[in-house]
Amino acid sequence: MNIALLLLFLVFCKGSHTSGLITNVTTRPDVLNIGSMFTFDSVIGKIAKLAITLAVEDVNSNPNILNGTKLSLKMHNTKSSDFLGIVEALQFMENDTVAIIGPQFSATAHVISHIANELQVPLLSFAATDPTLSPVQFPFLVRTTRSDLFQMTAVVDLVVHYEWRDVIAIYVDDDFGRNAIASLGDKLAEKRCKISYKVPLTPTATKEEIRKALISVSTMESRILILHIYTSWGLQVLEEAQEQKMMDSGYVWIATDWFSTILDTDPSLPLVQTNNIQGVLTLRMYTPDSQLKTEFKSRWSNLTKARRLLNDTSFGLNTYGLYAYDSVLLLAQAIESFFANGWNISFSNDTNLRELSGGKLNLDALNIFNGGRQLLKSILEVNTTGLTGPIKFDADGNLLNPAFEVINVIGTGTRTIGYWSNSSGLNVLPPEKLQMKMQTNGSSPGTQKLYSVIWPGQTTEKPRGWVFPYNGRKLRIGVPHRVSYPEFVGIKGTDFSGYCIEVFQAALNELPYGVPYKYIPFGDGIKNPENNDLLHRVQIGEFDGVVGDITITTNRTKMVDFTQPYIESGLVVVAPIRKMDSSAWAFLRPFTPMMWGVTGVFFLVVGTVVWILERRTNEDFRGPPKRQLVTIVWFSFSTLFFSQKEKTGSTLGRFVVIIWLFVVLILNSSYTASLTSILTVEQLSSPVKGIESLATGTEPIGYLRGSFAEAYLTDELNIHHSRLVALNSPEDYEKALKKGPSAGGVAAVIDERAYMELFLSSRCGYSIVGQEFTKMGWGFAFSRDSPLAIDMSTAILKLSENGNLQKIHDKWLMKSACSAEGAKQAVDRLQLKSFWGLFLLSGIACFLALLLYVLRMVRQYYRHADSDIECSQSTGRLKSFVSFVNKREQEVKSSSKGRRTDNKASNKIVHHQECSSDGLDLTS
């Protein structure tokens, strides 16, 4: 619609607004002009008209609100026309209007907000929910209802709660619809979900346009439909959906609050329309119950009863009517605050517009409200309670605590199954009760988010949310046509068989729904196809999935979605083996040289420590030096067989021996186990010891053509490509291995364990050498974001749990002709790092025992040898201490006892002499 002419005046409004003549200055007028603009005959408009009228009457009849000032309300009917909305807004600006309640539609709000910005007249919209109506761009537009940003967040939480991923958005193609759906897409992306298909409808969509749109929707994969349209023709969409069999089980319809507005306004819908909306979920802006709200609803019921009888028109109170009433109440309190702060009502003519006087548009009659910014500030600072609950704005200009009811249409009525709030998400409790519960009990919100739902089709089972697109064809499943290993995938004409095929079909049988599919071979059957090429066909849409021996790798997950692995298979090295005689020195193989050396040293150390601890009290550890040396060696090594004849008598000696015998037990057991393994496996040998020796050599290496092994060997192991030889089949493996590197063959073949176990089951001259050096698995591949990948993963897990997966494996892959010939040729020798903890334990025990022993000797030395110390020189103390330690314990005790006896006798003689001397003195 052409509105450019009416907006030309904006070009001339860029100058200062205070440069014009100020008129109509009033401190507190008796009457204030306010305007209201919306569509009178719309579902929202007819309720808002009565609600606004009642609100103005209540304000004017209550002298405590405006202190005698009356509001003069003038309403304009925009008739769903943005053009009329602009014209009517300009008319309000000519009549010294201080504020406008409206507009109703977001598209209209986008346009007239520019006029409000220029003329500084606040707009209070109770129904414009477009999220892009930002106070930054439109500061004079105050949204007195909930933004669709919060409503779309609630919709996303519903989608996530029911574990859906893709949705289809059906919306009206204007600012109201496009911007809300854009917010929906952003919120879905945050949860790793998406809008898979968008269906825009014109604001004046016809039944035929709706029918064509729904037919296109029915061919899509997703069955989660988000409906965001106008109340005027929203029910037509659901009626057409019923005709297209889109209200049956499997579909999910989530309607935004336009639908709950219709249900609230006309709760007694005709039976035909009721049948069209069964199972629909919808949202309603949540307004907490209060006495004020209850009284108003009763008053509303009485007022509208007569109208319904006369006009047969429904006037049920909806939430937009409540917000329209609160908009007037909010404005009245802001005006009172405006006057209380000493501001005046005044208007002025802009000088730029006066220059345009004389034209037919009469633009010079438009007045600027000089107190507009102060009134806007007062509006945003209001903190009161209305019919909708607490009224207060946040820093972004949104009403605080946005919340919605989640409603399920059942039978001829509705049922609230839960609530959504911006602070706590989904819950079965209303936001204020939930908040009170959390504050009182300090508990979490609880695990129950929503009550049960009756979905379309009268079912309580949650729809899975998607189906295979109905486009007349089956799923195209690509199958690699290989030369090798028909046990995994075998193709003979139109017959497909093998382990992978049977696992795929068994998994399909576990799904709760049928999957139409057909196999399509990929490759010529002469040479193995490239798996990456096959997966690329899925990426570009030529195939819908791939079934076969496809290894899951990091790069491939960027192309397709894989299921849970149904078999583990890492890369291994297979090389020729030969039998050889056991070495005469095989008994030395279990331990490394370092391990042998440390073990021998500890035998001698422990023997020496025990000798030191026992020699003073144990005669078995005394004698000539030669005998003592032999005793140390004999005692040490006899502990290996627990056959030492010398008994330990001291506590410290027994402590050291107990710890050492434990160490010897572990060493003995480990040695025996390792030697047994060596003598068993040593019969087979290969010049290739594993991937490490193969990677550092120069011999050619074979691999299966088309597998990921080639890229892994060159990229990860840095093996030059000239060393790699592509092979097609197990027969090629055998030929190349028999020839060997010198005759044009290969030294070893690198392939996945699943292949190699099948290869070795009938070829006894080869074996796996070294360790498996990758950990990977095979999975079925599907296009990115395909929900079938998730369901098939669940089915594979079920097969694994019930044992069917193992039965299929045994059926196709269990062959044991040569499986017992030795699966691993390299036996690791036991190294010191595996036992250093034991040696450390024994060493600490020896150290502590020696430390305690020395402290004890020092104590005894100073206690029992005091006289010797006093008589000896300081340089001879060490020699005296060593001599003391070398004595038997019994000798020390006897010497100490004799010394104490001599000391007592000497003391008696001295005492007698002293007494005699005293007697002579007395006599004299």
Side-chain angles (χ1 to χ4, degrees):
M1 121 187 10
N2 186 6
I3 61 174
L5 184 61
L6 293 176
L7 297 180
L8 285 176
F9 81 98
L10 296 178
V11 178
F12 303 98
C13 294
K14 302 302 180 181
S16 171
H17 295 162
T18 60
S19 59
L21 180 64
I22 299 177
T23 60
N24 302 333
V25 179
T26 309
T27 55
R28 180 183 282 273
D30 295 332
V31 178
L32 273 180
N33 295 328
I34 64 172
S36 181
M37 50 189 299
F38 48 87
T39 301
F40 291 172
D41 60 351
S42 66
V43 174
I44 295 175
K46 63 183 180 181
I47 304 302
K49 182 178 181 181
L50 180 57
I52 293 173
T53 302
L54 292 176
V56 172
E57 291 177 359
D58 291 345
V59 170
N60 290 337
S61 62
N62 188 348
N64 296 325
I65 297 180
L66 287 176
N67 292 321
T69 300
K70 304 293 184 181
L71 295 179
S72 175
L73 172 68
K74 187 172 185 180
M75 293 186 180
H76 284 169
N77 185 5
T78 61
K79 300 179 181 180
S80 300
S81 170
D82 295 337
F83 178 79
L84 288 179
I86 298 169
V87 173
E88 291 163 0
L90 294 175
Q91 290 177 346
F92 281 130
M93 306 304 178
E94 294 177 343
N95 299 320
D96 295 345
T97 302
V98 298
I100 299 174
I101 308 297
Q104 175 181 341
F105 296 104
S106 298
T108 308
H110 272 281
V111 178
I112 67 173
S113 291
H114 292 286
I115 302 175
N117 288 348
E118 295 298 332
L119 301 181
Q120 301 181 19
V121 176
L123 303 175
L124 287 79
S125 178
F126 58 88
T129 57
D130 180 359
T132 63
L133 290 171
S134 166
V136 176
Q137 184 180 7
F138 307 115
F140 280 86
L141 175 65
V142 179
R143 195 200 317 268
T144 58
T145 186
R146 302 299 183 184
S147 168
D148 276 339
L149 175 64
F150 302 111
Q151 182 169 207
M152 293 306 162
T153 305
V155 170
V156 170
D157 283 354
L158 278 174
V159 172
V160 174
H161 173 73
Y162 290 112
E163 299 178 340
W164 298 317
R165 295 177 59 185
D166 296 352
V167 303
I168 294 176
I170 304 174
Y171 59 97
V172 60
D173 192 13
D174 63 1
D175 292 335
F176 163 74
R178 284 191 301 267
N179 295 331
I181 296 303
S183 297
L184 175 66
D186 294 340
K187 293 297 180 180
L188 285 170
E190 293 177 3
K191 303 293 186 178
R192 304 192 67 177
C193 303
K194 64 182 176 66
I195 301 176
S196 59
Y197 189 59
K198 293 182 179 181
V199 185
L201 296 171
T202 62
T204 57
T206 63
K207 184 175 182 179
E208 181 63 20
E209 291 173 341
I210 295 173
R211 186 184 69 83
K212 290 181 179 179
L214 292 181
I215 290 175
S216 68
V217 169
S218 66
T219 63
M220 297 295 108
E221 184 177 87
S222 176
R223 285 295 182 261
I224 312 301
L225 310 179
I226 311 299
L227 195 57
H228 186 63
I229 51 181
Y230 287 131
T231 56
S232 56
W233 46 274
L235 292 179
Q236 296 180 29
V237 177
L238 296 177
E239 180 182 351
E240 186 62 33
Q242 178 71 25
E243 293 182 7
Q244 298 297 327
K245 307 297 182 183
M246 296 176 66
M247 298 300 293
D248 296 339
S249 59
Y251 282 92
V252 175
W253 289 86
I254 302 177
T256 52
D257 63 351
W258 67 267
F259 187 47
S260 63
T261 301
I262 292 178
L263 297 177
D264 292 338
T265 306
D266 189 4
S268 58
L269 291 174
L271 181 61
V272 175
Q273 289 183 313
T274 303
N275 292 334
N276 295 337
I277 61 178
Q278 293 300 304
V280 175
L281 293 181
T282 185
L283 298 176
R284 176 196 289 143
M285 288 182 287
Y286 175 69
T287 56
D289 292 331
S290 63
Q291 184 178 357
L292 186 64
K293 178 181 173 182
T294 302
E295 293 175 353
F296 183 81
K297 290 175 71 174
S298 176
R299 176 186 174 193
W300 181 275
S301 178
N302 295 331
L303 287 173
T304 59
K305 188 174 183 179
R307 298 194 182 198
R308 288 198 301 270
L309 293 175
L310 295 174
N311 303 327
D312 194 25
T313 301
S314 297
F315 272 85
L317 181 61
N318 56 48
T319 52
Y320 286 102
L322 298 177
Y323 280 106
Y325 182 96
D326 280 354
S327 298
V328 176
L329 179 65
L330 166 68
L331 177 61
Q333 294 198 12
I335 291 173
E336 175 58 27
S337 174
F338 175 86
F339 288 134
N341 288 325
W343 297 102
N344 299 323
I345 300 294
S346 65
F347 294 86
S348 61
N349 300 115
D350 190 272
T351 56
N352 290 327
L353 293 180
R354 286 207 310 272
E355 294 175 0
L356 301 176
S357 61
K360 294 182 179 180
L361 294 178
N362 197 27
L363 295 179
D364 56 333
L366 298 177
N367 295 324
I368 298 172
F369 178 26
N370 297 319
R373 294 190 180 277
Q374 289 73 32
L375 179 59
L376 175 64
K377 183 175 181 293
S378 299
I379 291 173
L380 295 176
E381 291 177 349
V382 167
N383 185 3
T384 186
T385 300
L387 300 180
T388 58
I391 302 175
K392 187 178 180 180
F393 295 94
D394 61 16
D396 296 326
N398 294 312
L399 289 173
L400 292 177
N401 304 319
F404 290 85
E405 292 181 64
V406 184
I407 299 171
N408 183 206
V409 178
I410 304 173
T412 58
T414 61
R415 173 172 174 253
T416 298
I417 62 170
Y419 301 86
W420 178 92
S421 68
N422 196 40
S423 58
S424 57
L426 295 171
N427 203 280
V428 294
L429 294 176
E432 70 278 3
K433 292 184 178 179
L434 178 62
Q435 189 69 22
M436 185 180 301
K437 177 182 177 182
M438 295 176 63
Q439 291 177 353
T440 303
N441 302 330
S443 59
S444 61
T447 57
Q448 187 174 10
K449 302 296 184 182
L450 296 172
Y451 292 117
S452 60
V453 176
I454 296 180
W455 304 99
Q458 299 298 313
T459 178
T460 57
E461 182 180 357
K462 185 199 77 173
R464 70 173 184 269
W466 66 275
V467 295
F468 294 102
Y470 180 73
N471 47 22
R473 66 173 179 83
K474 300 177 179 180
L475 280 183
R476 299 160 298 177
I477 304 298
V479 180
H481 193 183
R482 300 193 184 282
V483 182
S484 58
Y485 302 112
E487 293 86 352
F488 293 105
V489 177
I491 301 177
K492 293 182 180 179
T494 58
D495 183 28
F496 294 81
S497 61
Y499 170 73
C500 301
I501 300 296
E502 188 163 341
V503 171
F504 177 72
Q505 293 174 344
L508 289 180
N509 293 334
E510 293 289 337
L511 298 179
Y513 50 88
V515 179
Y517 68 94
K518 63 177 180 179
Y519 294 126
I520 302 176
F522 180 77
D524 54 14
I526 300 175
K527 65 177 182 178
N528 291 329
E530 293 286 341
N531 285 340
N532 287 341
D533 291 344
L534 178 55
L535 296 176
H536 179 66
R537 303 299 178 92
V538 177
Q539 190 178 23
I540 63 177
E542 184 176 334
F543 292 142
D544 299 307
V546 170
V547 172
D549 43 353
I550 308 298
T551 304
I552 303 173
T553 65
T554 302
N555 290 333
R556 290 175 178 175
T557 56
K558 300 175 182 178
M559 303 167 61
V560 296
D561 280 352
F562 282 97
T563 63
Q564 168 84 12
Y566 57 88
I567 187 174
E568 293 183 359
S569 185
L571 290 178
V572 294
V573 178
V574 170
I577 56 173
R578 58 186 177 88
K579 293 186 177 182
M580 59 181 298
D581 296 332
S582 179
S583 170
W585 300 97
F587 68 90
L588 296 175
R589 286 288 306 280
F591 289 166
T592 61
M594 176 63 73
M595 182 67 181
W596 278 118
V598 172
T599 303
V601 168
F602 261 83
F603 270 109
L604 297 176
V605 168
V606 172
T608 303
V609 171
V610 174
W611 172 76
I612 293 173
L613 299 175
E614 292 289 327
R615 66 183 307 275
R616 299 186 76 234
T617 60
N618 196 333
E619 291 296 329
D620 290 338
F621 291 88
R622 298 190 68 86
K626 182 178 180 180
R627 178 187 173 187
Q628 295 185 46
L629 180 61
V630 172
T631 300
I632 292 173
V633 176
W634 166 256
F635 180 83
S636 300
F637 288 96
S638 63
T639 56
L640 181 62
F641 310 101
F642 305 98
S643 61
Q644 65 277 10
K645 67 177 183 178
E646 294 81 9
K647 295 181 179 180
T648 52
S650 67
T651 302
L652 293 177
R654 290 176 178 177
F655 170 69
V656 172
V657 171
I658 285 295
I659 298 297
W660 177 244
L661 289 179
F662 173 72
V663 175
V664 169
L665 176 64
I666 301 300
L667 293 177
N668 197 0
S669 301
S670 302
Y671 175 86
T672 302
S674 181
L675 182 61
T676 301
S677 179
I678 288 174
L679 293 179
T680 302
V681 180
E682 186 69 15
Q683 300 172 13
L684 303 176
S685 178
S686 172
V688 179
K689 302 303 180 184
I691 187 62
E692 293 82 4
S693 63
L694 199 61
T696 57
T698 58
E699 297 86 357
I701 304 170
Y703 70 94
L704 181 64
R705 185 188 302 274
S707 75
F708 77 100
E710 178 184 9
Y712 184 86
L713 295 175
T714 55
D715 298 341
E716 301 296 331
L717 301 182
N718 297 319
I719 296 176
H720 198 274
H721 194 273
S722 61
R723 294 180 57 196
L724 302 182
V725 179
L727 304 172
N728 287 316
S729 65
E731 292 74 19
D732 292 345
Y733 287 1
E734 189 172 13
K735 291 178 183 178
L737 290 171
K738 280 184 177 180
K739 289 182 179 179
S742 59
V746 297
V749 171
I750 293 179
D751 207 344
E752 297 180 71
R753 177 176 285 277
Y755 295 137
M756 291 294 92
E757 288 179 347
L758 198 60
F759 172 79
L760 296 174
S761 65
S762 58
R763 296 169 178 85
C764 303
Y766 312 94
S767 182
I768 296 174
V769 296
Q771 299 282 353
E772 183 177 347
F773 55 94
T774 63
K775 292 291 183 181
M776 297 181 178
W778 295 353
F780 304 126
F782 296 95
S783 55
R784 293 300 300 269
D785 298 325
S786 171
L788 189 58
I790 299 175
D791 290 353
M792 286 293 285
S793 294
T794 305
I796 291 171
L797 290 175
K798 290 181 180 178
L799 291 176
S800 178
E801 292 172 356
N802 60 30
N804 290 334
L805 190 60
Q806 185 62 42
K807 292 178 182 178
I808 299 173
H809 178 275
D810 297 343
K811 173 183 175 181
W812 290 96
L813 307 179
M814 184 60 71
K815 297 183 179 181
S816 56
C818 296
S819 59
E821 282 288 342
K824 182 180 175 184
Q825 301 305 315
V827 178
D828 294 333
R829 305 175 73 180
L830 300 177
Q831 301 181 12
L832 178 62
K833 64 181 180 180
S834 301
F835 300 93
W836 70 268
L838 288 173
F839 289 122
L840 178 63
L841 178 64
S842 180
I844 292 174
C846 292
F847 174 77
L848 290 177
L850 285 176
L851 179 62
L852 293 174
Y853 178 78
V854 170
L855 293 175
R856 180 186 173 200
M857 288 300 99
V858 171
R859 179 174 174 273
Q860 288 184 357
Y861 176 68
Y862 280 102
R863 181 178 179 183
H864 299 292
D866 290 341
S867 60
D868 296 338
I869 295 174
E870 292 173 358
C871 297
S872 62
Q873 301 295 326
S874 59
T875 56
R877 290 182 180 179
L878 179 60
K879 183 178 179 181
S880 175
F881 177 73
V882 173
S883 176
F884 173 78
V885 171
N886 194 40
K887 292 180 180 181
R888 290 184 176 89
E889 185 78 15
Q890 191 62 31
E891 292 178 2
V892 174
K893 291 182 179 180
S894 299
S895 175
S896 177
K897 184 176 181 181
R899 184 179 294 110
R900 287 197 297 270
T901 303
D902 294 341
N903 289 338
K904 289 180 180 180
S906 299
N907 291 336
K908 288 181 179 180
I909 294 173
V910 172
H911 178 71
H912 179 71
Q913 290 175 351
E914 290 176 351
C915 290
S916 300
S917 175
D918 292 340
L920 289 174
D921 292 339
L922 290 171
T923 305
S924 61

